[in-house]
Amino acid sequence: MNTELSDKPKIWHDKKRHLWLLGLFVPTMMFLMLPLVWAMNQAGWQTASQLPFYIGPILLYVILPALDLAVGADGQNPPDEVMAALENDKYYRYATYAYIPFQYASAVLGAYLFTASDLGWLGFDGSLGWLGKIGVAMSAATVAGVGINTAHELGHKRESLERWLAKITLAQVCYGHFYVEHNRGHHVRVATPEDPASARFGETFWEFLPRSTWGGIRSAWELEAARVRRTGKNPWNPRTWPGNDVINALAMSLLFWGVMIAVFGVALIPYVLINAFYGSSLLESVNYLEHYGLVRQKQPSGRYERCTPQHSWNSDHMVTNLFLYHLQRHSDHHANPTRRYQTLRSFDDSPNLPAGYGALIGVTYFPPVWRKLMDHRVLAHYAGDITRANISPRRREKILARYGAAAVNA
């Protein structure tokens, strides 16, 4: 009897199935801080009571890295035989849908806290000071910035509902062009010098940020304009704009923030700007670390080699996986862009980051620390031949002078 039991096939279970709901902590965290703020005010800590409003940055730069370190790697890949059933399990997509209403509820709460003249119910004497206002705006922007990852998951899907939900999610950070550029630009040009969202070896985050932002906007417009022209229409004709995915995404942002300013007043404008700039910068910091220095080599035909797991930096830390819907399993995502997050797998032969995305977002802000952490990994990935990396043109001569000997001797 024991033999019969041992011969039965093991049933695979997703050990993270219910843990995916932890991702909803992000869009609800501002609401969860309100009792703490009230309690601190009751204790007479009027200034310190504004610090919980910084829960967004605290989560990103402190809590996630600490939890990744404590919990460690994920290590679970779904086997082939469960992939189809796992892909079709609607529980997982509902977990992402649920993020969106909470995201916008947080945006409205943040706008109210930012502009309210009387917050006596929270224990404040009048309105928030700028210490609290900036914290509120940055936390709301964190919710929207992480929401870009939700939009990323939904925007790759074939269902019309999910594509529209992706655009709606991007509206808060005024980054609707990402829907076009990421799917039709980045996934085609990834890990090449032509891709604005692939960071180059030696390029700092602060150089990459404007290049990726403006390059992405320009690319999105060019891609969408070309699509419209293929239908025989003029992309500059206002009659084509409702069907233009760059224009209608921008219209969503203008409509949302126009209504918000009408309700809360022009005092909301700094809040809008922080949401747009800080929120989108979180996406760009992730873009920066995902492909830093990696490049697809050109073939004799002049075309780039096919994208493989060697062209994305991966991490498989459990906690950040849960909060970012397996975005860290980036190689599998590029190999299978329409694959849902719960079925993405971690590849042993992918280049791996020294920590989770959560821990590294803050590191990207400090170029000397980033380069000390990552440059030798890029060099090792190419067996010492730095000429095979995606090198920043501005620093190419200096980089080749520094690492050229290694390339010659490799």
Side-chain angles (χ1 to χ4, degrees), residues 322-381:
L322 292 170
F323 278 83
L324 296 183
Y325 303 125
H326 272 162
L327 181 66
Q328 298 180 126
R329 296 182 171 187
H330 208 60
S331 293
D332 197 7
H333 168 66
H334 272 281
N336 303 281
T338 61
R339 179 173 286 177
R340 294 187 181 274
Y341 68 93
Q342 67 270 22
T343 58
L344 291 175
R345 295 191 272 197
S346 180
F347 295 132
D348 291 335
D349 59 345
S350 301
N352 278 284
L353 294 166
Y357 283 14
L360 294 177
I361 288 173
V363 176
T364 65
Y365 303 159
F366 303 98
V369 180
W370 172 259
R371 294 199 64 184
K372 186 173 182 178
L373 194 66
M374 288 300 300
D375 282 8
H376 69 94
R377 287 181 164 85
V378 177
L379 194 65
H381 178 67

Side-chain angles (χ1 to χ4, degrees), residues 153-343:
E153 169 65 22
L154 297 172
H156 274 292
K157 304 304 174 282
R158 296 185 177 92
E159 288 83 353
S160 177
L161 170 63
E162 292 181 293
R163 289 173 173 264
W164 276 102
L165 288 175
K167 294 181 190 178
I168 291 169
T169 308
L170 292 166
Q172 185 180 341
V173 286
C174 306
Y175 233 60
H177 68 276
F178 174 81
Y179 170 81
V180 174
E181 158 55 21
H182 181 81
N183 291 352
R184 288 154 47 194
H186 174 64
H187 270 264
V188 173
R189 300 180 298 230
V190 62
T192 70
E194 289 79 20
D195 180 31
S198 293
R200 299 159 178 170
F201 185 90
E203 180 179 36
T204 72
F205 170 70
W206 304 110
E207 293 168 326
F208 171 80
L209 179 61
R211 182 175 72 83
S212 182
T213 300
W214 297 116
I217 293 171
R218 182 175 63 251
S219 173
W221 174 256
E222 290 172 352
L223 289 166
E224 191 63 1
R227 184 190 67 80
V228 172
R229 288 191 183 98
R230 286 195 296 270
T231 67
K233 299 176 182 178
N234 181 356
W236 295 104
N237 187 333
R239 292 181 180 180
T240 68
W241 291 356
N244 185 309
D245 283 330
V246 174
I247 298 294
N248 58 45
L250 175 61
M252 288 184 188
S253 296
L254 294 175
L255 176 63
F256 172 69
W257 286 117
V259 170
M260 292 282 279
I261 291 172
V263 172
F264 294 103
V266 294
L268 190 68
I269 290 176
Y271 177 84
V272 178
L273 296 176
I274 292 172
N275 268 260
F277 289 107
Y278 181 63
S280 63
S281 77
L282 297 179
L283 162 73
E284 296 300 351
S285 64
V286 171
N287 276 343
Y288 178 76
L289 60 87
E290 284 175 334
H291 304 284
Y292 176 77
L294 302 179
V295 68
R296 289 149 57 195
Q297 305 301 319
K298 273 193 174 180
Q299 298 175 319
S301 65
R303 297 173 64 89
Y304 288 103
E305 64 181 322
R306 183 178 62 86
C307 185
T308 73
Q310 299 298 311
H311 300 123
S312 301
W313 290 103
N314 279 14
S315 173
D316 201 29
H317 284 74
M318 170 74 86
V319 177
T320 303
N321 269 349
L322 292 170
F323 278 83
L324 296 183
Y325 303 125
H326 272 162
L327 181 66
Q328 298 180 126
R329 296 182 171 187
H330 208 60
S331 293
D332 197 7
H333 168 66
H334 272 281
N336 303 281
T338 61
R339 179 173 286 177
R340 294 187 181 274
Y341 68 93
Q342 67 270 22
T343 58

Side-chain angles (χ1 to χ4, degrees), residues 51-101:
L51 297 181
F53 288 128
Y54 285 84
I55 182 60
I58 292 170
L59 174 70
L60 280 181
Y61 306 130
V62 180
I63 297 175
L64 277 184
L67 288 176
D68 268 343
L69 182 64
V71 176
D74 186 334
Q76 187 188 42
N77 280 334
D80 291 339
E81 58 268 23
V82 306
M83 293 289 275
L86 195 61
E87 185 83 9
N88 293 321
D89 189 337
K90 292 188 176 181
Y91 163 81
Y92 293 95
R93 66 187 72 179
Y94 294 152
T96 57
Y97 296 173
Y99 190 101
I100 303 168

